[in-house]
Amino acid sequence: MTTEVEFQKRLTIEQVEEGNDLAPKFDRDGLIVCVTTAANSGEVLMVGYMNQEALKKTISTGEAHYWSRSRQVLWHKGATSGLVQKVLELRIDDDQDAVWLRVEIPGDASCHVGYRSCFYRSVPTGEGDHTLKFEESEKMFDPKKVYGDAPNPTIL
Amino acid sequence: MTTEVEFQKRLTIEQVEEGNDLAPKFDRDGLIVCVTTAANSGEVLMVGYMNQEALKKTISTGEAHYWSRSRQVLWHKGATSGLVQKVLELRIDDDQDAVWLRVEIPGDASCHVGYRSCFYRSVPTGEGDHTLKFEESEKMFDPKKVYGDAPNPTIL
């Protein structure tokens, strides 16, 4: 049996910033933002969102769960693709409105487009051209083979 | 003169995911989420938000600018504390609704509470106790000395 995860009420700034109470702040949609990095490389793989249930399941199971804003469902990452994220460490920030997962992923691929990271393009800074530059040269898998006819989650 | 940064209209999923157009998606508050990591360690320092102006200034100047949601102002990070973030790389994700900055910071401190990272506490996963554990043992600076009487940005 897993001990049930409970969230504490947010009472004071000192409690939230300097204390040991887990007292996450969910936004008006009931979500908290989550940064997920690859434990081996430190690379940011994705930014996702969790509702209360997703955060509790992530904590209790040690596998990343998100709230899919495009599909409006609890999303056990990897349930379709097999690319389950094993959580090595879960951190929360000063005001407890953001979480950071350090994860292990099988096959080193995470992004639904087929790349390792969702952040496969850079924006040149400073003067000159700011069109995007690809930082990953090839896809790690073929999304059509993995996801079939499932709708693309990107919303314009 | 810095070349003006322009954002393209979002027309197709292929353009947004597989193209070179910089076509960021701002949410209903006009903001895009930003993950900021330390270039030297890969550690996540903070999660912030940018409006169009903040993203354009970050791109054109190579120094991180955010939109402060608590103060409702454009926020040139480090203007008060001196802890300016120099952007070594700026990346954008597949659907262009999140950006990732890899930065250098002076003095290795970033968080307004005084720690290196805003994510100075972990949440134990799995069974048992889920109270927070401090992962940084001491503050890098004294926030009272740096910020004086400025109001704490944390909102309960």
Side-chain angles (χ1 to χ4, degrees), chain A residues 55-155:
Chain A
L55 180 54
K56 286 184 176 179
K57 278 196 187 270
T58 300
I59 293 171
S60 62
T61 66
E63 291 184 352
H65 291 69
Y66 303 93
W67 176 256
S68 167
R69 294 178 304 166
S70 55
R71 291 182 288 135
Q72 294 280 306
V73 291
L74 184 74
W75 171 29
H76 181 195
K77 171 80 178 164
T80 301
S81 65
L83 305 174
V84 170
Q85 297 176 338
K86 185 182 170 190
V87 178
L88 299 194
E89 188 173 40
L90 192 163
R91 292 210 188 182
I92 195 155
D93 77 338
D94 42 21
D95 58 352
Q96 301 200 32
D97 69 353
V99 300
W100 167 23
L101 305 183
R102 287 179 55 240
V103 304
E104 267 182 0
I105 48 171
D108 251 10
S110 172
C111 171
H112 80 276
V113 183
Y115 293 103
R116 192 174 64 241
S117 161
C118 291
F119 293 84
Y120 48 83
R121 291 170 298 183
S122 65
V123 185
T125 58
E127 298 186 24
D129 184 15
H130 299 115
T131 57
L132 305 184
K133 182 179 164 218
F134 278 73
E135 299 291 342
E136 293 190 34
S137 54
E138 57 181 320
K139 297 192 180 185
M140 308 296 286
F141 65 92
D142 180 349
K144 283 190 191 128
K145 285 188 185 154
V146 170
Y147 298 106
D149 294 330
N152 188 302
T154 289
I155 296 170

Side-chain angles (χ1 to χ4, degrees), chain A residues 36-53:
Chain A
T36 303
T37 63
N40 58 356
S41 66
E43 186 171 38
V44 177
L45 296 172
M46 59 179 282
V47 171
Y49 295 84
M50 295 176 171
N51 63 1
Q52 291 210 21
E53 184 185 5

